[in-house]
Structures are given as structure tokens and as C-alpha cells.
Amino acid sequence: MRDARVGELGQIAQMMLDAYQEYQAYFPPDTWERYAANIMDVRSRLDVSELIVAERNGRVVGSVTLYPNLENAEQDWPPGWAGVRLLAVHPDARGQGIGRVLMDECLRRSRGRRSVAVGLHTSDIMKVARGLYERMGFVRVPEFDFRTGSNWNVMAYRLDL
């Protein structure tokens, strides 16, 4: 685990899109285009987040975005919380525990900053991710759910630290 390097942001953005590509069929085309553009816009988040990557044999195979200071984040969590967004593992690197290691690093960093909790959002279609979060001890906090423009219910989870 390490922080992303500026020179590899394009590679990381493409890996993230590859990881999320399986969900394209669930979105109307225009919504998917906006979501894909947001996923790949890693540069715009760097001022307020940490882009953590997993690497195998010189290739980035996973990433996650950690928001340690939520006053500047895209999502509205309570004071003292850290936030996680866009956990991604390349399809050909799945099943090796990479997602878990990336999430563990987010928790380690959040505990080091004395965050009181870590929040994240996910959806019904992201069954593997939801299972990982629940096995790690994340619990639902429906008061932080929201609906998207395409009327999707985006579910909130929290892990107290």
C-alpha cells in the first residue's frame, strides 16, 4: 500500500473505470457517462483526499480514496468522521484480498488521525463490496442514505473506530 504518484494518475483512473465497468448496464447511458467521468477524475480529489493504491509486479491493481478531513469532502458526514470512496480492484486481480488490504489501510490511517468513525456509501448492485464492508464490521446508517438523479438508493455504512 502506498499513496498514488502524480505520474500514474491516468493509469489509476483507467484501472478504476475497468473495475466499475461491470455496473454500466445498470445505468442509463447519460448517467453512466457522468458517473464514469466522476470515477476517472482522480486529480480533482487530490487536494482533499488521499488516493491509496495497491501494486503487484509494478502494476496498480487497486485503489481507494480516503477523505481524512470531511469538511472539504464531497460527502456530508458528521464531524470527526473520515470517509471512503471508490474502492476499486481491477477485475483480473480480484479474489486476492486487495480490497480488504486497501480498506484496512484506510482504517489504520483514520485511527492514526483519531477519527471517531469511517463512513462510506455503496449500492445494492455492489454485492461483493457490501459483503466486505459488513464482514469488516461496518453497519448501516440509513439516515445518511441518499437518492441519485436516476432514483437509485445509495446506502450509507459506518464503522466506529
Side-chain angles (χ1 to χ4, degrees):
M1 289 314 104
R2 63 173 173 78
D3 289 334
R5 298 180 189 120
V6 173
E8 64 190 1
L9 293 179
Q11 173 192 358
I12 294 166
Q14 184 60 56
M15 182 280 305
M16 293 171 75
L17 184 62
D18 292 345
Y20 279 80
Q21 196 72 47
E22 69 183 279
Y23 305 117
Q24 181 176 0
Y26 294 94
F27 291 84
D30 60 325
T31 304
W32 172 254
E33 285 180 31
R34 286 191 306 275
Y35 187 49
N38 182 272
I39 289 167
M40 294 185 71
D41 188 15
V42 294
R43 285 184 196 279
S44 73
R45 296 185 284 271
L46 288 180
D47 288 343
V48 295
S49 69
E50 298 169 9
L51 182 59
I52 304 166
V53 299
E55 185 178 42
R56 290 267 166 93
N57 301 317
R59 177 178 162 236
V60 173
V61 294
S63 68
V64 65
T65 306
L66 173 65
Y67 291 90
N69 178 359
L70 291 176
E71 293 174 14
N72 299 318
E74 298 172 359
Q75 299 167 349
D76 192 22
W77 297 109
W81 287 31
V84 172
R85 185 161 183 255
L86 294 169
L87 175 64
V89 176
H90 193 275
D92 64 12
R94 291 182 178 156
Q96 301 172 31
I98 294 167
R100 175 64 190 242
V101 172
L102 286 163
M103 288 300 297
D104 284 341
E105 180 64 10
C106 289
L107 298 180
R108 185 191 70 76
R109 292 181 186 202
S110 297
R111 285 185 181 105
R113 291 185 178 95
R114 300 189 191 283
S115 299
V116 297
V118 174
L120 60 84
H121 285 103
T122 190
S123 71
D124 286 331
I125 63 172
M126 298 177 180
K127 291 176 179 44
V128 173
R130 277 195 356 260
L132 168 66
Y133 304 143
E134 290 168 2
R135 285 190 305 279
M136 292 181 75
F138 281 83
V139 295
R140 289 276 292 118
V141 281
E143 61 269 29
F144 296 106
D145 288 0
F146 65 90
R147 292 189 94 59
T148 66
S150 56
N151 214 23
W152 278 65
N153 185 41
V154 180
M155 304 177 308
Y157 281 80
R158 175 196 81 231
L159 179 69
D160 291 329
L161 299 178

